[in-house]
Amino acid sequence: MERIQVDYYGAPTPINQVAQISVPEARLIIIQPYERRLLADIEKAIQKSDLGVNPNNDGQVIRLNIPPLNEERRRDMVKMLHKKLDEHKVAVRNIRRDTQDKLQDREKKKEISEDELKRSKDRLQKLIDKYIDEMNKVAKTKEHEILEI
């Protein structure tokens, strides 16, 4: 809900900052704005978003009934999962590169020896491998959850 924004006194503001959001049931989201005049703006913002749900406005709150996932939507979610996984792997690899650069700078400045540099790089690589493996395991588990009917 953070990425869906409404115009609040001339500034684009996330819905969760102008309304209380609750989930009383697994497939129902209730949005109660702090100011009733925002109901129509929130409703329009949800309709324009890529959520794929129609808001029900009763004059007090907006209800979002979440339909059960169909096969196509499940596949889309798996694609999104893999995209996020790849983004996070790139982030971890960037951290590895930055850390290796810092280690090499320390070696050039004679703060650490060549052997210490090699040991540190090996430990770093083992740590990176461990976290990438963990991310793969979590992604695989989540993929099975998404595809499960």
Side-chain angles (χ1 to χ4, degrees):
M1 290 290 174
E2 289 179 11
R3 62 189 172 112
I4 301 174
Q5 300 192 348
V6 295
D7 184 48
Y8 186 65
Y9 293 106
T13 308
I15 289 178
N16 63 349
Q17 291 183 11
V18 296
Q20 178 180 350
I21 300 172
S22 60
V23 184
E25 299 173 20
R27 293 201 171 127
L28 178 65
I29 298 173
I30 296 180
I31 302 169
Q32 184 171 11
Y34 301 129
E35 298 177 26
R36 285 179 50 186
R37 69 172 186 79
L38 293 173
L39 275 169
D41 293 337
I42 293 172
E43 185 176 13
K44 288 176 190 172
I46 292 169
Q47 288 171 339
K48 289 180 183 177
S49 73
D50 62 350
L51 289 179
V53 294
N54 277 330
N56 291 329
N57 181 350
D58 69 2
Q60 299 286 328
V61 297
I62 294 175
R63 288 182 175 78
L64 301 176
N65 291 313
I66 310 299
L69 294 176
N70 60 23
E71 186 66 25
E72 180 182 344
R73 184 69 178 134
R74 289 176 194 273
R75 295 284 176 206
D76 289 343
M77 289 181 78
V78 168
K79 287 178 187 175
M80 194 177 351
L81 170 69
H82 288 290
K83 181 181 174 197
K84 289 291 184 186
L85 176 63
D86 289 341
E87 289 172 6
H88 286 83
K89 284 181 182 180
V90 167
V92 168
R93 290 180 183 128
N94 287 339
I95 292 169
R96 175 186 60 196
R97 185 194 63 235
D98 293 344
T99 305
Q100 286 177 338
D101 290 347
K102 288 178 184 176
L103 287 169
Q104 287 175 335
D105 286 345
R106 290 189 67 200
E107 194 261 338
K108 285 179 186 174
K109 293 178 183 176
K110 303 292 185 202
E111 292 176 3
I112 61 173
S113 68
E114 193 175 322
D115 290 341
E116 287 176 289
L117 174 65
K118 183 172 178 4
R119 280 193 299 273
S120 295
K121 281 185 172 183
D122 289 344
R123 283 196 313 256
L124 177 62
Q125 187 59 49
K126 286 179 184 175
L127 194 60
I128 296 297
D129 292 343
K130 173 187 167 192
Y131 283 107
I132 287 182
D133 285 345
E134 184 67 26
M135 289 179 354
N136 286 332
K137 287 177 188 173
V138 169
K140 188 171 186 163
T141 302
K142 185 53 73 176
E143 182 177 345
H144 287 300
E145 286 177 20
I146 292 170
L147 294 176
E148 189 177 283
I149 296 178

